[in-house]
């Protein structure tokens, strides 16, 4: 998105968000299954071995297990994220203006973090069940005779019928709140910081050039965010995407473990977020919270760049 501070452009903006989110959702699935397998099992020593075994044992189509879920849902998630971000931004701008009417109501970096965190929290109601279904499909046995679910709709039906909403479809939502707030707080704050830094440099250069040619009667107007070229916006979006995952990845690991765990009380390994954190630390140490970070960062930059550049 070229100018996140601008008002959302109605239906056109929503359609762009839906398209960008759906495209990004499909694009990231290729490596997402590698990430989830590394997070939830110790069968693989690294991402390359994981990808090779998936290809050999399950075929190339296995990399797109769960594709339908992000295709349908991630576009809506992106639209919710940006809509709620703009809502929070406008609220904070109004607060800044009321407390200091003579200055521009520009948000500080911590305020951008708060707006992004609000967007992430609002998005959780969609992202938690969408990702839960995708993870169940990605981690179920490949053998057709042993598969638990025939597809996303069957997965949703079974999770809801046998375990209800909170313990079934929405299992792992507690840690998802933490991940989404941290992830999108950092995402938006990083992007806005980089955009502001770029614009400040352009304004300083403009002032320097106009002061040296003050006798010229046709001085150019000062630069705005619209003057930042698309390739720089994409770069800042990519860096924001990397920051998003680095800052929130341990929460994502715990979420994946909980959402791939057995749901029956007698077979359930993790009895809550804190228990999952504790067991992971005891069994794997700090390294256990970063398994799969490589393929995650590899996909994060391009997907995030495309989201902001649309």
């Amino acid at each position: 998105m070229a100018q996140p501070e601008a008002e959302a452009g109605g239906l056109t903006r929503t359609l762009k968000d839906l398209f960008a989110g759906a495209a990004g959702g499909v694009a990231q699935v290729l490596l997402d299954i590698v990430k989830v397998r590394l997070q939830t099992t110790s069968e693989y020593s690294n991402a390359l071995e994981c990808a090779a075994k998936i290809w050999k044992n399950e075929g190339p189509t296995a990399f797109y297990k769960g594709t339908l879920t992000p295709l349908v849902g991630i576009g809506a998630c992106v639209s919710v994220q940006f809509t709620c971000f703009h809502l929070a931004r406008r609220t904070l701008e109004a607060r800044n203006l009321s407390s200091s009417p003579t200055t521009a109501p520009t948000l500080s970096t911590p305020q951008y973090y708060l707006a992004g965190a609000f967007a992430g929290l609002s998005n959780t109601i969609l992202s938690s069940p969408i990702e839960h279904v995708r993870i169940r499909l990605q981690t179920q046995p490949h053998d057709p005779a042993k598969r638990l679910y025939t597809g996303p709709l069957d997965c949703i039906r079974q999770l809801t019928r046998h375990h209800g909403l909170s313990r079934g479809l929405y299992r792992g939502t507690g840690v998802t709140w933490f991940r989404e707030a941290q992830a999108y707080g950092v995402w938006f704050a990083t992007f806005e910081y980089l955009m502001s830094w770029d614009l400040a440099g352009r304004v300083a250069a403009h002032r320097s050039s106009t002061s040296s040619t003050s006798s010229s009667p046709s001085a150019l107007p000062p630069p705005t965010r619209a003057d930042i070229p698309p390739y720089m916006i994409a770069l800042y979006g990519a860096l924001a995407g990397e920051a998003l995952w680095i800052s929130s990845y341990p929460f994502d690991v715990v979420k994946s473990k909980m959402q791939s765990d057995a749901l029956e009380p007698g077979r359930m390994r993790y009895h809550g977020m804190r228990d999952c954190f504790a067991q992971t630390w005891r069994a794997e140490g700090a390294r256990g919270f970063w398994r799969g970070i490589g393929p995650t960062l590899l996909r994060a930059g391009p997907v995030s760049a495309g989201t902001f550049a649309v």
Side-chain angles (χ1 to χ4, degrees):
M1 176 176 281
Q3 299 184 52
E5 85 280 19
E7 298 297 326
L11 179 61
T12 300
R13 179 67 262 167
T14 301
L15 291 175
K16 285 184 177 180
D17 290 341
L18 290 171
F19 173 78
V26 174
Q28 66 183 332
V29 166
L30 179 63
L31 293 176
D32 189 74
I33 190 172
V34 176
K35 180 200 75 157
V36 170
R37 294 282 180 92
L38 288 171
Q39 289 176 333
T40 58
T41 179
S42 57
E43 180 181 349
Y44 314 103
S45 59
N46 55 60
L48 289 177
E49 179 190 352
C50 179
K53 285 188 174 181
I54 291 173
W55 181 284
K56 178 181 178 181
N57 299 328
E58 303 175 42
T61 58
F63 289 98
Y64 283 91
K65 285 183 178 180
T67 302
L68 180 61
T69 308
L71 177 62
V72 172
I74 298 301
C77 287
V78 170
S79 185
V80 168
Q81 290 160 14
F82 278 95
T83 298
C84 292
F85 170 76
H86 289 307
L87 174 63
R89 175 187 55 77
R90 289 193 297 269
T91 301
L92 290 170
E93 285 178 344
R95 181 178 181 276
N96 290 349
L97 188 61
S98 65
S99 62
S100 182
T102 59
T103 58
T106 305
L107 269 60
S108 64
T109 299
Q111 286 179 318
Y112 274 122
Y113 176 89
L114 289 176
F118 173 74
L121 291 172
S122 302
N123 179 58
T124 300
I125 196 70
L126 291 176
S127 65
S128 181
I130 288 171
E131 294 188 17
H132 187 188
V133 170
R134 188 183 71 210
I135 288 170
R136 292 284 172 188
L137 295 174
Q138 290 174 333
T139 56
Q140 71 174 337
H142 179 64
D143 186 348
K146 298 180 180 179
R147 286 181 188 172
L148 303 175
Y149 316 106
T150 58
L153 292 180
D154 181 56
C155 182
I156 293 172
R157 185 165 47 249
Q158 289 197 47
L159 290 174
T160 306
R161 178 192 302 167
H162 300 301
H163 308 284
L165 285 175
S166 62
R167 295 180 181 274
L169 187 61
Y170 276 87
R171 175 168 168 77
T173 297
V175 70
T176 307
W177 292 115
F178 285 97
R179 188 202 66 174
E180 297 288 80
Q182 171 68 359
Y184 290 104
V186 169
W187 193 48
F188 282 107
T190 300
F191 179 77
E192 291 296 336
Y193 175 84
L194 292 170
M195 290 288 286
S196 297
W197 171 78
D198 185 296
L199 181 58
R202 294 175 189 275
V203 169
H206 175 267
R207 287 175 179 171
S208 176
S209 64
T210 54
S211 63
S212 63
T213 59
S214 57
S215 59
S216 174
S218 58
L220 293 174
T224 65
R225 287 171 65 111
D227 296 313
I228 299 177
Y231 72 88
M232 293 303 297
I233 295 174
L235 173 61
Y236 299 148
L239 293 174
E242 303 295 325
L244 178 157
W245 281 107
I246 291 173
S247 67
S248 63
Y249 197 75
F251 291 116
D252 189 70
V253 170
V254 170
K255 184 187 75 68
S256 292
K257 287 178 179 290
M258 292 184 65
Q259 292 183 333
S260 61
D261 192 16
L263 294 172
E264 297 75 14
R267 298 175 54 228
M268 186 181 294
R269 180 177 179 182
Y270 306 110
H271 299 284
M273 177 179 65
R274 293 178 60 184
D275 181 51
C276 187
F277 268 107
Q279 287 197 47
T280 301
W281 177 265
R282 286 196 299 268
E284 305 176 62
R287 184 178 180 181
F289 295 104
W290 297 98
R291 287 179 59 85
I293 187 65
T296 302
L297 295 180
L298 184 63
R299 74 175 189 194
V303 171
S304 182
T307 300
F308 278 107
V310 169

